[in-house]
Amino acid sequence: MRAYLPSYELISPARLQDALDVLGKEPGVWRPFAGGTDLMVLLEAGKLPHKNYLNIWNLKELRGVEVTDQHVTLGALTTYTEVQQEKVLQQAFPMLCRAASETGGLAIQNRGTLGGNIVNASPAADSPPALLAYDAELELVSLEGARWVAYHRFHTGYKEMIIRPEELLTRIRLPRRTEKLRHYYRKVGTRKAQAISKVCFAGTARVRNETIEDLRVALGSVAPVPLRCVKTEDALRGSELTQTTIDRARAVMADEIVPIDDIRSTSNYRHQVSLNLLADFLQQLRA
Ligand SMILES: Cc1cc2nc3c(=O)[nH]c(=O)nc-3n(C[C@H](O)[C@H](O)[C@H](O)COP(=O)(O)OP(=O)(O)OC[C@H]3O[C@@H](n4cnc5c(N)ncnc54)[C@H](O)[C@@H]3O)c2cc1C
């Protein structure tokens, strides 16, 4: 059943300071509304219990891309279309562009934002594994000031996060790495387009003389939160790329992930696919 629209309120501040004033004066009363691609689905289905929204779409402070030698910093309102068009992201952070290109269809890509994807906190979302593998950091801002937090510390449980009701996610910062990295991203879903992931895998690695000097592995849909597989990484770092290493890494990952059964897939399938993707990633590093 559709929601009864007059019972909702949406206000549209023109500046970040005005938005923070609203959030700070009545913490928890107003919730951010960015592209609305997650919120509108709930509204249409009559499943949006919260009634007061703060439209942040017009806040210029949450837009744009800043590039320095150390970082690429994206406004939280950066859309998937903008991610795909950004040259520096194509070169240095290709998995983020790939995730953006495989998120929804064109309409969703024009309107859905990276910030919304992060704070919506679905464990099946497609950009979080890439953001985790790239060691992203988030800027959270309130009237009290700004704080930067490591993205891998942001999600604390299913749909639970460290962001406070009076804070906005304003920017996403990606550290630029100078060394040559290999990148591996796979979204496994029912179809190639317009499908929510069954499993989503992002990995980066630095390999020299057939030895893994460093790597990062992150997965979606295998835990209550987007998961950085630290134990699997630790087991692989410094190892030679042999079949024995690959088998050992699969065993470590099998213990580290805890996928569930739901309407999109089964725990067993997600387990198998995750281990196969890890093996494929490592095989490709060998090649
Ligand atoms: C048809 C369809 C297909 C989709 N396909 C995919 C897909 O393939 N992969 C995928 O990952 N997602 C998909 N989605 C989900 C959705 O498009 C994304 O999660 C999108 O990035 C959400 O961004 P938004 O700006 O629209 O968020 P909104 O709907 O505006 O907000 C989502 C949540 O985030 C909060 N929020 C938003 N911005 C901020 C901020 N700056 N600070 C604090 N809180 C904030 C809001 O309060 C709300 O709780 C799909 C959705 C639809 C309708």
Side-chain angles (χ1 to χ4, degrees):
M1 203 175 71
R2 291 186 77 175
Y4 180 62
L5 278 183
S7 67
Y8 289 87
E9 197 171 349
L10 182 80
I11 55 173
S12 297
R15 297 178 315 137
L16 175 61
Q17 186 60 42
D18 300 336
L20 297 178
D21 282 342
V22 172
L23 292 175
K25 276 188 192 131
E26 297 177 290
V29 171
W30 298 91
R31 292 207 184 147
F33 191 107
T37 60
D38 278 311
L39 290 172
M40 288 302 289
V41 172
L42 296 173
L43 181 85
E44 281 291 307
K47 291 182 180 163
L48 192 60
H50 196 83
K51 300 288 192 229
N52 303 89
Y53 288 92
L54 183 76
N55 174 19
I56 58 172
W57 188 254
N58 302 324
L59 303 182
K60 289 192 202 67
E61 298 90 337
L62 272 63
R63 293 203 176 274
V65 179
E66 294 161 43
V67 182
T68 66
D69 287 346
Q70 282 79 37
H71 297 104
V72 175
T73 306
L74 307 169
L77 290 174
T78 304
T79 64
Y80 296 110
T81 301
E82 289 165 341
V83 166
Q84 290 171 75
Q85 289 167 346
E86 194 56 54
K87 286 269 177 317
V88 69
L89 295 177
Q90 292 166 11
Q91 282 154 11
F93 303 99
M95 297 193 299
L96 198 57
C97 298
R98 175 87 179 267
S101 74
E102 295 187 12
T103 294
L106 281 183
I108 295 296
Q109 292 177 11
N110 284 337
R111 186 78 193 177
T113 67
L114 269 189
N117 203 221
I118 292 169
V119 182
N120 188 57
S122 164
D126 292 319
S127 27
L131 293 171
L132 284 172
Y134 288 138
D135 246 346
E137 299 163 299
L138 308 180
E139 185 188 46
L140 306 178
V141 177
S142 71
L143 286 178
E144 284 168 27
R147 57 180 178 139
W148 281 99
V149 297
Y151 179 46
H152 70 92
R153 299 201 187 285
F154 184 72
H155 300 285
T156 53
Y158 179 70
K159 296 260 178 188
E160 288 172 11
M161 293 152 273
I162 59 172
I163 190 168
R164 296 194 293 260
E166 69 276 19
E167 284 179 321
L168 276 179
L169 167 57
T170 46
R171 294 189 290 172
I172 300 141
R173 185 161 77 183
L174 301 165
R176 297 180 81 176
R177 295 174 69 187
T178 46
E179 70 271 35
K180 195 168 164 19
L181 282 184
R182 307 276 289 273
H183 310 250
Y184 178 97
Y185 180 88
R186 293 285 183 282
K187 167 174 173 168
V188 177
T190 310
R191 300 181 300 263
K192 201 75 189 123
Q194 289 281 28
I196 307 285
S197 301
K198 293 173 192 277
V199 172
C200 179
F201 185 110
T204 59
R206 196 178 72 226
V207 176
R208 198 186 318 183
N209 300 331
E210 303 247 327
T211 299
I212 301 170
E213 289 189 334
D214 196 16
L215 96 163
R216 297 192 194 136
V217 171
L219 282 150
S221 296
V222 299
V225 297
L227 187 72
R228 173 105 181 252
C229 294
V230 187
K231 290 182 186 157
T232 308
E233 293 175 5
D234 287 347
L236 281 166
R237 206 169 283 115
S239 301
E240 242 183 279
L241 273 166
T242 61
Q243 190 56 48
T244 313
T245 300
I246 295 174
D247 294 342
R248 186 164 43 86
R250 282 176 61 109
V252 176
M253 181 176 273
D255 280 343
E256 190 166 24
I257 60 176
V258 275
I260 56 164
D261 292 315
D262 65 10
I263 49 162
R264 281 191 286 276
S265 190
T266 63
S267 165
N268 188 33
Y269 180 81
R270 288 183 162 124
H271 237 109
Q272 287 305 323
V273 169
S274 303
L275 305 189
N276 291 350
L277 291 174
L278 176 67
D280 188 46
F281 172 42
L282 298 174
Q283 294 286 9
Q284 292 205 10
L285 294 179
R286 272 174 105 183

